[in-house]
Amino acid sequence: QIPTEQWAQVLEKTGGTVVHKKIPVPKPGPDEVLINIKYSGVCHTDLHAVKGDWPLATKIPLVGGHEGAGVVVARGELVNDIQIGDYAGIKWLNGSCLSCSFCRTANEPLCPKPDLSGYTVDGSFQQYAIGKAAHVARIPKECDLEAIAPILCAGLTVYKGLKESGARPGEFVAIVGAGGGLGSMALQYARAMGLHAIAIDGGAEKEKMCKELGATTYVDFTTSKNLVEDVKKATPEGYGPHAVLLLAVTEKPFQQASEYVRSHGTIVCVGLPANAFLKAPVFDTVTRMINIKGSYVGNRQDTAEAIDFFRRGLIKAPYKVVGLSKLQEVFDLMEAGKIAGRYVVDTSQ
Ligand code: 8ID
Ligand code: ZN
């Protein structure tokens, strides 16, 4: 009962718009599963893929999307640890070689030969998507597929970023871009992990959402007269947050974070603004012992842990559902910075 044709959103030209059209349903290879995608989150990475603003080419034509939640409908002959009818998710890392020294040490996202969903292989903006069985997210049956979709990239990525920050319960973390998709998830994971979160973003709608999600303070980067002071003031003794999670899609906050991070604190870069560079004063970095690092999605264990926080009811970030046919409108809102939280597309519409 798997159809031969399906609806998908297809990018036919880098820098163009996506087209809602019918394409063939793919067939899984021996080590792959075919997932009937019910819902997919829309990540800013999908917009980077459309615009082609990263130093890494996408496949063309491309079906984007890497937060796809659905039901396994077919599997290759080598797959035996996931059953037809199981819930599963397509995440950014669609597959990796599993034999290099990165894969062997649970650093699969660093594999030099990765398959990236919705980037180098077709992703979840279609009704039937393929994933390597080793990598598809295992989703417990009690989870709601609509609500869990954004966990598959946004949730996983910020959970890993918070772990990489080394921040411990009771400490302070600044979330830069807190009103966006990753940011709204970061506020919920931070709270669940016992951290105090300082939210930084712009506008009243995002302020309201951030406070509802558990931020102790909101700093509006569009109106603050002195952002560095405002962030430091929000921490005990004014020494600044122990960690900074940079999720914004502009360069400026990446240059600014070293000015307010606490001495011996850690700046974790996650957002991927085009053509951006990091800059920090060497003197302060040395004498204040500042750590600056990157964090890139998460491995299979991080995925399982991030999903389990959700399963336990600890992660409730707002999202809006629209039909897959409306994807271009979601991209337009995202480009304008007008999305508080996440959009999820319903592939049946
Ligand atoms: O593994 C990774 N490292 C990873 C995984 C997933 C996504 C990285 N990303 C990258 C995306 O490619 C993108 O570059 O993280 C970035 C954020 O993705 P998103 O959360 O999906 O984007 P969004 O929903 O548009 O949110 C961005 C927020 O940043 C705010 C915006 O207002 C928006 O709410 N923002 C900006 I743009 N400039 C800001 C500033 N100067 C700012 N917030 C505070 N200060
Ligand atoms: Zn993503």
Side-chain angles (χ1 to χ4, degrees):
Q1 66 289 40
I2 300 168
T4 53
E5 279 210 314
Q6 58 161 340
W7 285 101
Q9 283 282 7
V10 184
L11 181 71
E12 284 162 347
K13 188 172 163 290
T14 302
T17 53
V18 287
V19 183
H20 194 225
K21 63 186 236 184
K22 283 208 148 175
I23 63 167
V25 171
K27 289 206 165 45
D31 59 345
E32 295 173 340
V33 295
L34 182 67
I35 302 176
N36 176 202
I37 301 292
K38 302 293 189 190
Y39 298 95
S40 179
V42 184
C43 180
H44 206 111
T45 294
D46 300 309
L47 182 56
H48 290 294
V50 168
K51 290 161 75 177
D53 64 10
W54 283 352
L56 178 68
T58 71
K59 79 180 271 288
I60 287 287
L62 173 71
V63 176
H66 56 272
E67 287 184 347
V71 182
V72 175
V73 292
R75 59 179 198 175
E77 70 256 28
L78 298 177
V79 182
N80 51 32
D81 63 341
I82 186 160
Q83 314 304 323
I84 306 296
D86 282 358
Y87 282 179
I90 293 284
K91 55 187 178 56
W92 175 246
L93 195 66
N94 191 282
S96 70
C97 80
L98 300 177
S99 59
C100 71
S101 56
F102 295 106
C103 285
R104 294 200 311 267
T105 53
N107 282 312
E108 305 101 82
L110 306 181
C111 176
K113 291 195 193 103
D115 289 333
L116 307 175
S117 304
Y119 208 93
T120 64
V121 297
D122 284 343
S124 55
F125 294 149
Q126 56 183 340
Q127 294 174 305
Y128 293 88
I130 284 186
K132 294 286 183 196
H135 276 287
V136 293
R138 272 61 175 168
I139 300 177
K141 262 285 155 64
E142 69 256 43
C143 291
D144 178 36
L145 290 177
E146 182 181 287
I148 204 171
I151 302 288
L152 298 169
C153 176
L156 164 63
T157 299
V158 300
Y159 171 62
K160 177 69 160 185
L162 288 169
K163 285 211 291 187
E164 288 285 310
S165 80
R168 302 166 62 119
E171 294 187 338
F172 282 69
V173 56
I175 312 286
V176 187
L182 268 61
S184 56
M185 284 282 168
L187 292 172
Q188 289 278 285
Y189 277 94
R191 181 157 78 179
M193 294 163 82
L195 302 165
H196 301 282
I198 300 163
I200 309 175
D201 211 309
E205 188 192 0
K206 291 178 182 174
E207 170 166 17
K208 182 167 174 284
M209 183 194 76
C210 289
K211 289 189 169 157
E212 282 166 7
L213 291 176
T216 53
T217 312
Y218 179 79
V219 178
D220 190 324
F221 80 95
T222 62
T223 56
S224 169
K225 299 239 163 15
N226 189 336
L227 185 133
V228 171
E229 279 313 309
D230 287 348
V231 174
K232 289 172 79 171
K233 262 194 309 210
T235 63
E237 304 170 291
Y239 287 154
H242 300 78
V244 182
L245 207 57
L246 288 165
L247 311 172
V249 198
T250 47
E251 188 178 42
K252 183 161 185 217
F254 286 76
Q255 318 286 22
Q256 221 169 24
S258 63
E259 295 180 48
Y260 57 71
V261 71
R262 182 185 165 95
S263 294
H264 216 232
T266 301
I267 298 167
V268 184
C269 303
V270 174
L272 289 157
N275 308 309
F277 286 83
L278 274 163
K279 205 168 128 194
V282 171
F283 187 83
D284 279 64
T285 306
V286 173
T287 62
R288 301 209 302 107
M289 295 182 70
I290 297 169
N291 305 294
I292 304 177
K293 66 197 297 194
S295 187
Y296 182 44
V297 288
N299 66 19
R300 289 172 291 171
Q301 179 63 22
D302 299 317
T303 306
E305 292 172 12
I307 286 174
D308 200 56
F309 272 74
F310 175 85
R311 186 193 59 77
R312 284 182 281 156
L314 298 170
I315 310 298
K316 292 202 174 87
Y319 60 88
K320 292 196 180 90
V321 184
V322 297
L324 176 63
S325 59
K326 301 272 193 299
L327 180 63
Q328 185 60 46
E329 292 166 40
V330 178
F331 283 146
D332 294 341
L333 285 171
M334 184 177 274
E335 176 79 57
K338 287 192 182 136
I339 301 178
R342 209 36 144 204
Y343 265 89
V344 169
V345 293
D346 174 346
T347 64
S348 73
Q349 298 175 41

